[in-house]
């Protein structure tokens, strides 16, 4: 079947309008962020416009969501394009790249187009989806279409963006921990002696300080306790996140994820000193939000207890063998056996102003239309 004979790519603003071939993809997606239930989380939690782009041919389909960001939106550098470029490409564009639509996901480390077609058909379908999304974003008045966390080894996806004049920019890598063996002790044994000694020292310090850590399903009663810690954590690193959206995201967990939305809580003297939220998806788990009160924890290594020790022990118990640790703090995560997967950002400029702004980055790879 030639490209001209393929069914045209299209977009819709409603999940309900997706065809059966696309539903088959999103209901079986191995990537949490492109699974049906997470798409419903985003639908509830993200306040701006969005659309869904897809293409299909005989027996195969490709699909990705796209989420809008404007200049007055949540100033979160992980997703708002102008702030992302300033943080990761040292490129100050101001509002020239906004409005923007993020294609394939808006969560750190993850931008993907689902596709069940083999090569070379996969590249064709991906290219069609990017084209349909760019056309829909332009029609909605956007200055850019972007995917901020693309797998650097995905040559088909890179070709799809190049075909529509995209530019490639730096992006932080995604940290993933693949658990060895069948027990926490196997994870410890997989590390060099010095690192294993450090982890055991962290565990002793937590016990000596009297820190208690539990892991259980998230409940609505937890939100008032954990949200202040979460927002303080963002502020420590210069990331500003609005309380309304932070709360809406947790509430969407409760509506759509059930007991796969989990919470790790660390207490000292009856006070919450750290937390980490976890979402389980099959044999994978995703460490999502977190907050750590260094003063109240009195120097105890609560970050390591809530993000590593307790989730890893839980993962072995329940049959989870892969933990997504998101972006940043690469060295800390690598020291505990995580692998950092390289990522690229791709941006399709759709206005002259946006293209001029992107050209100011000295290392930009410009792909001619």
């Amino acid at each position: 079947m030639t490209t001209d004979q393929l069914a045209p790519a299209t977009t819709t603003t409603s999940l309900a309008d997706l065809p059966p071939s696309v539903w088959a993809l999103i209901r079986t997606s191995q990537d949490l962020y492109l699974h049906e239930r997470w798409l419903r989380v985003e639908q509830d939690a993200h306040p701006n416009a969005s659309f869904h782009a897809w293409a299909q041919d005989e027996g195969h389909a490709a699909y990705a969501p796209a989420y809008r960001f404007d200049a007055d939106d949540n100033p979160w550098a992980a997703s708002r394009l102008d702030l992302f470029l300033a943080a990761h490409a040292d490129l100050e564009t101001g509002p020239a790249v906004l409005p923007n639509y993020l294609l394939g996901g808006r969560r750190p480390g993850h931008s993907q187009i689902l596709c069940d077609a083999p090569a070379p058909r996969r590249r064709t379908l991906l290219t069609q989806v990017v084209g349909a999304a760019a056309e829909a974003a332009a029609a909605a008045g956007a200055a850019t279409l972007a995917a901020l966390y693309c797998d650097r080894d995905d040559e088909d996806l890179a070709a799809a963006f190049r075909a529509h004049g995209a530019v490639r920019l730096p992006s932080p890598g995604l940290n993933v921990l693949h658990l060895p063996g069948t027990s926490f002790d196997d994870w410890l044994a997989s590390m060099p002696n010095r690192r294993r000694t450090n982890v055991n020292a962290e565990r002793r310090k937590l016990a000596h300080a009297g820190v208690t850590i539990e892991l259980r399903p998230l409940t609505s009663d937890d939100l008032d306790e954990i949200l202040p810690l979460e927002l303080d954590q963002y502020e420590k690193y210069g990331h500003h996140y609005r309380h309304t959206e932070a709360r809406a995201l947790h509430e969407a967990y409760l509506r759509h994820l059930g007991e796969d939305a989990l919470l790790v809580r660390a207490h000292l003297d009856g006070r919450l000193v750290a937390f980490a939220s976890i979402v389980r998806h099959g044999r994978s788990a995703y460490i999502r939000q977190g907050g750590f009160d260094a003063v109240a924890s009195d120097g105890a290594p609560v970050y390591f207890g809530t993000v590593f020790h307790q989730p890893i022990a839980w993962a072995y118990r329940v049959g989870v063998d892969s933990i997504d640790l998101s972006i940043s703090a690469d060295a800390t995560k690598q020291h505990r056996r995580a692998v950092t997967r390289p990522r690229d950002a791709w941006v399709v400029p759709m206005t002259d102003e946006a293209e001029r702004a992107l050209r100011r980055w000295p290392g930009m790879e410009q792909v001619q239309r």
Side-chain angles (χ1 to χ4, degrees), residues 3-65:
T3 301
D4 291 339
Q5 293 172 313
L6 294 173
T10 189
T11 62
T12 180
T13 58
S14 172
L15 272 172
D17 292 337
L18 296 176
S21 61
V22 172
W23 276 110
L25 288 180
I26 64 176
R27 283 179 171 151
T28 59
S29 172
Q30 298 301 303
D31 187 327
L32 167 70
Y33 299 114
L34 291 178
H35 191 275
E36 174 190 0
R37 59 183 184 158
W38 188 267
L39 296 174
R40 297 194 186 282
V41 166
E42 295 287 14
Q43 186 173 266
D44 287 2
H46 186 52
N48 279 11
S50 62
F51 63 79
H52 307 269
W54 79 89
Q56 54 187 339
D57 66 8
E58 293 180 359
H60 298 290
Y63 159 81

Side-chain angles (χ1 to χ4, degrees), residues 126-208:
L126 296 181
T127 302
Q128 286 194 304
V129 169
V130 174
E135 184 176 329
T144 54
L145 175 77
L148 301 183
Y149 305 99
C150 296
D151 182 353
R152 185 171 297 169
D153 293 334
D154 192 338
E155 292 297 333
D156 289 340
L157 186 58
F161 279 107
R162 287 191 183 100
H164 295 286
V167 299
R168 182 163 61 188
L169 295 125
S171 179
L174 171 68
N175 296 289
V176 179
L177 172 60
H178 296 286
L179 296 174
T182 59
S183 71
F184 190 90
D185 286 341
D186 290 328
W187 172 67
L188 282 176
S190 72
M191 288 184 279
N193 287 340
R194 180 181 176 185
R195 189 60 52 196
R196 185 164 60 250
T197 299
N198 290 345
V199 171
N200 284 326
E202 292 161 4
R203 299 169 73 194
R204 287 194 299 271
K205 288 177 183 177
L206 288 166
H208 180 74

Side-chain angles (χ1 to χ4, degrees), residues 30 37 78 106 131 140 180 204 227 233 236 238 242 254 272 306 317 346:
Q30 298 301 303
R37 59 183 184 158
R106 60 185 294 266
R204 287 194 299 271
L227 283 170
Q233 187 71 21
K236 286 176 189 175
R242 292 174 184 160
L254 294 170
L272 181 72
T306 54
R317 289 196 305 271
W346 289 93

Side-chain angles (χ1 to χ4, degrees), residues 7 41 62 64 80 94 122 210-211 219 256 272 289 295 337 340:
V41 166
R80 211 179 84 182
R122 180 175 183 267
V211 175
T219 72
H256 301 294
L272 181 72
Q289 296 90 337
V295 175
R337 288 199 88 262
T340 303

Side-chain angles (χ1 to χ4, degrees), residues 1 7 70 114 126 131 157 199 230 241 287 337 339:
M1 179 175 288
D70 293 284
L114 284 179
L126 296 181
L157 186 58
V199 171
E230 178 184 350
Y241 202 93
I287 306 292
R337 288 199 88 262
V339 174

Side-chain angles (χ1 to χ4, degrees), residues 162-356:
R162 287 191 183 100
H164 295 286
V167 299
R168 182 163 61 188
L169 295 125
S171 179
L174 171 68
N175 296 289
V176 179
L177 172 60
H178 296 286
L179 296 174
T182 59
S183 71
F184 190 90
D185 286 341
D186 290 328
W187 172 67
L188 282 176
S190 72
M191 288 184 279
N193 287 340
R194 180 181 176 185
R195 189 60 52 196
R196 185 164 60 250
T197 299
N198 290 345
V199 171
N200 284 326
E202 292 161 4
R203 299 169 73 194
R204 287 194 299 271
K205 288 177 183 177
L206 288 166
H208 180 74
V211 175
T212 60
I213 304 178
E214 65 169 347
L215 190 157
R216 57 163 174 74
L218 178 73
T219 72
S220 58
D221 291 338
D222 294 317
L223 302 192
D224 288 338
E225 187 179 31
I226 66 175
L227 283 170
L229 267 186
E230 178 184 350
L231 297 176
D232 285 348
Q233 187 71 21
Y234 292 138
E235 291 287 344
K236 286 176 189 175
Y237 294 95
H239 304 304
H240 308 292
Y241 202 93
R242 292 174 184 160
H243 181 275
T244 52
E245 287 187 43
R247 188 176 190 95
L249 184 55
H250 285 289
E251 289 174 341
Y253 289 179
L254 294 170
R255 281 191 292 273
H256 301 294
L257 301 178
E259 293 196 350
D260 284 333
L262 299 141
L263 181 67
V264 187
R265 300 192 308 166
H267 285 87
L268 179 60
D269 297 329
R271 178 177 177 179
L272 181 72
V273 293
F275 87 93
S277 62
I278 302 175
V279 175
R280 180 179 181 178
H281 185 61
R283 296 183 64 87
S284 297
Y286 296 70
I287 306 292
R288 294 281 308 129
Q289 296 90 337
F292 315 96
D293 188 331
V295 175
S297 59
D298 195 27
V302 292
Y303 167 78
F304 297 108
T306 54
V307 171
F308 292 97
H309 308 165
Q310 194 77 357
I312 288 171
W314 162 83
Y316 278 114
R317 289 196 305 271
V318 301
V320 164
D321 53 25
S322 174
I323 300 179
D324 183 302
L325 295 167
S326 193
I327 63 172
S328 76
D330 295 352
T332 297
K333 295 168 183 177
Q334 290 166 6
H335 288 159
R336 285 155 179 80
R337 288 199 88 262
V339 174
T340 303
R341 299 177 179 173
R343 292 290 189 254
D344 288 324
W346 289 93
V347 184
V348 180
M350 293 183 290
T351 66
D352 291 341
E353 186 179 10
E355 187 151 5
R356 285 194 297 270

